[in-house]
Each structure stands twice: as structure tokens, then as C-alpha cells.
Amino acid sequence: MKEIKCPSCGGPLRIDTKNPNIEICDQCNKKYAVESIYSQATGKEKIELRLVPERMAYEPVKKKEPKKTGWEPYGWKRGVALVILFFVLMGIMYGPKIYRRYQMDHGGITTESQKEP
């Protein structure tokens, strides 16, 4: 087997100890994947080098927790709004009756039984 030169700088390539399919340039430290391609038409074997990209320092993106507005299901604002709505509806439905009863108890409205003959 003949010595393979680095396509970038022309330096000698050596086989990586961790992976025999990878060769490393001694001068520029670039890694190349070695593929031997046999051509049936010509009967010759050709060696092809592909640059192996460097590993990227990858950190997965942490999902941000959505900002809480208080209107989520079971949020405190929703609960307060429902309690206020309950009291408003009760006031609309029973308010006039309660007001009339209050006036009767405190002498504001005279009933037929209270009139003197």
C-alpha cells in the first residue's frame, strides 16, 4: 500500500488508533474517512478521502416554561373571577327582594297590616 498524502496540506496521513477507517494528518490534524473503490471496468482500486467534520459542542435547548398569567386552568385569577361573578349574579337575582325586605324591617315601606283604620 502506498503512502497517502493530506489533500489540504500535503502532509503524511496516519491511521487513527480508535477507528481504522479514519486517517489523521500529522501536520494539520484533519481527519479523513478512507474508502477504497474497486472499478470492475478498469480492474483498478481507487482510494477516496472524505473530510470528517469536527464534532460540534452541542447542548440541547432547554424548553422554557411558559410564563404563568393566572388564567390557566385552576389559576387563582380564574377562581377569583368566578367568585365575583357568582356574587354579582346573586345580587342581580335576589337583590331587589332583599332590598324590599330591608325596607319593610326598617319602616321604609308600609304594608297593609301596618296601616291604621
Side-chain angles (χ1 to χ4, degrees), residues 16 19 21-24 29-34 49-55:
D16 188 9
N19 187 348
N21 296 328
I22 302 286
E23 296 207 15
I24 303 172
N29 289 328
K30 289 188 179 178
K31 294 181 181 181
Y32 294 95
V34 179
L49 298 175
R50 284 186 297 118
L51 184 63
V52 176
E54 294 294 323
R55 290 191 65 110

Side-chain angles (χ1 to χ4, degrees), residues 26-107:
D26 288 331
Q27 292 179 357
C28 64
N29 289 328
K30 289 188 179 178
K31 294 181 181 181
Y32 294 95
V34 179
E35 287 185 51
S36 64
I37 301 170
Y38 178 75
S39 174
Q40 290 181 348
T42 60
K44 294 183 181 178
E45 190 172 349
K46 178 182 173 185
I47 294 177
E48 188 175 302
L49 298 175
R50 284 186 297 118
L51 184 63
V52 176
E54 294 294 323
R55 290 191 65 110
M56 293 174 45
Y58 171 75
E59 292 182 21
V61 177
K62 293 179 182 175
K63 288 186 178 180
K64 291 183 179 179
E65 192 171 318
K67 184 178 177 183
K68 295 198 174 190
T69 61
W71 290 105
E72 299 86 18
Y74 312 110
W76 68 271
K77 288 181 183 177
R78 182 175 283 180
V80 169
L82 288 174
V83 168
I84 291 171
L85 180 64
F86 172 77
F87 282 110
V88 167
L89 290 176
M90 291 295 114
I92 290 171
M93 289 171 43
Y94 297 109
K97 293 177 185 175
I98 294 171
Y99 182 66
R100 268 189 259 121
R101 179 64 187 212
Y102 174 79
Q103 284 184 336
M104 284 176 28
D105 289 345
H106 291 88

